[in-house]
Amino acid sequence: MEFVRRIVLTVMVMVLCGTMSLSTEELLLVDYYRETCPYAEDIVRREVEIAVIRDPRMAASLLRLHFHDCFVLGCDASVLLDDLGDVVSEKQAGPNKNSLRGFEVIDRIKFLLEEACPYTVSCADIVAIAARDSVTLRGGPWWDVWLGRRDSLKASFDGANKFIPSPNSSLVTLISNFAQQGLNVVDLVALSGGHTIGKARCASFRNRIYNQSLEELHYDYYQRSTMFRRILGSICPESGGDNAIGPLDFRTPARFDNNYYRNLLEEKGLLHSDNVLVNEDDEGEVRRLIWRYSEDQDVFFASFAESMVKMGNINVLTGHEGEIRRNCRFVN
């Protein structure tokens, strides 16, 4: 009876917040695996912690994996599928190829969960939990992950090329990309803060170094960005060296904090798509958010957690939709 009462309360809260209708086919719950696999989140957290200790970059990689999954077809683990039969993997799409990481970590977690609770925990839920735990392990906020997603039976190579924002995107394009997923400007600025951890390949930020417009030169009155470009140029040559990597946050690259926003205000964002949040914001709405997050880490953490929950609910499969994969790389 206690579990039933918690389900009813959960549904009431979500309906009142406008995040979910009463349809049981669309239901996600914080306690979804309480009866069927009570140690699911503990298993995920332990394996993520081991992975991050072995490779500190893995925290950012698992966070990014969730982002790239949700922006194509929804949060349904389509990004994990390999080529097989009619499935054309998203892993080979432009934004993912030679860039997206963490698949082996998800494989390991899935193997352990299948031993503990066969046919129970979806790959999509594993990705969502792993993203949260990665952030928390790096000093970031904790949030309840709503669970009960099911796994897609298909992937979308074209969708990955179309819907995942490019590191060279303009602010207008970023706002449009996020709007297509039901995310607003606040979500864009908050989720961009995920770039406070991790590293990017030279191929992702070369354009930010060597293609400076006249407008940017005029904006860079104190030459701060110019000096920073020279530092980046020592990492990333104008040609070749595509796989050289630079930290997305040069202040505290391994810690999840609000220094990303301080970097932006000093014109020291690594990617072009970071810097446009400031220098293409004609109306000032984005800049005001950046100032607020740079001054108050707690406000940033609260906004980031809220936007992660919102993103994690994009076009989820529930009820009898999709399936629970036994192997995250292939449909059953």
Side-chain angles (χ1 to χ4, degrees), residues 174-234:
L174 289 173
I175 291 173
S176 175
N177 286 151
F178 275 67
Q180 286 175 314
Q181 307 298 335
L183 302 174
N184 59 31
V185 171
V186 175
D187 299 316
L188 165 61
V189 180
L191 293 174
S192 293
H195 285 178
T196 188
I197 55 173
K199 298 182 178 181
R201 295 169 65 238
C202 167
S204 298
F205 60 87
R206 177 179 286 118
N207 188 59
R208 181 254 192 275
I209 306 172
Y210 299 105
N211 293 341
Q212 190 173 23
S213 67
L214 291 175
E215 290 80 7
E216 288 175 310
L217 285 168
H218 176 73
Y219 180 79
D220 189 22
Y221 182 79
Y222 294 105
Q223 296 291 298
R224 288 176 295 192
S225 181
T226 299
M227 293 173 64
F228 186 57
R229 286 169 190 268
R230 290 172 182 166
I231 296 172
L232 297 181
S234 68

Side-chain angles (χ1 to χ4, degrees), residues 135 138-143 196 255-258 293 296-307:
V135 169
R138 282 291 164 214
W142 171 275
W143 61 91
T196 188
R255 183 165 183 79
F256 197 99
D257 54 29
N258 64 337
Y293 294 157
D296 193 328
Q297 182 167 277
D298 290 340
V299 172
F300 162 50
F301 278 10
S303 290
F304 183 83
E306 183 177 348
S307 292

Side-chain angles (χ1 to χ4, degrees), residues 266-304:
E266 295 180 1
E267 304 160 39
K268 293 180 180 177
L270 181 65
L271 306 178
H272 177 78
S273 57
D274 293 324
N275 293 283
V276 297
L277 297 177
V278 173
N279 59 37
E280 292 185 9
D281 177 34
D282 296 332
E283 297 182 3
E285 178 183 4
V286 173
R287 195 177 294 110
R288 283 191 291 273
L289 286 168
I290 291 171
W291 271 107
R292 190 178 183 198
Y293 294 157
S294 73
E295 293 174 343
D296 193 328
Q297 182 167 277
D298 290 340
V299 172
F300 162 50
F301 278 10
S303 290
F304 183 83

Side-chain angles (χ1 to χ4, degrees), residues 163-176:
F163 295 115
I164 297 174
S166 161
N168 296 316
S169 294
S170 67
L171 179 57
V172 170
T173 300
L174 289 173
I175 291 173
S176 175

Side-chain angles (χ1 to χ4, degrees), residues 82-106:
D82 286 344
D83 287 332
L84 183 68
D86 294 334
V87 174
V88 180
S89 177
E90 295 169 18
K91 296 176 183 178
Q92 299 304 311
N96 298 334
K97 188 175 182 180
N98 299 322
S99 176
L100 214 55
R101 306 167 71 240
F103 300 110
E104 293 79 9
V105 177
I106 302 300

Side-chain angles (χ1 to χ4, degrees), residues 48 59 62-63 66 126-136 143 308:
V48 170
L62 291 171
L63 174 60
H66 186 35
I126 293 172
V127 172
I129 299 168
R132 187 271 313 279
D133 291 345
S134 295
V135 169
T136 304
W143 61 91
M308 283 296 293

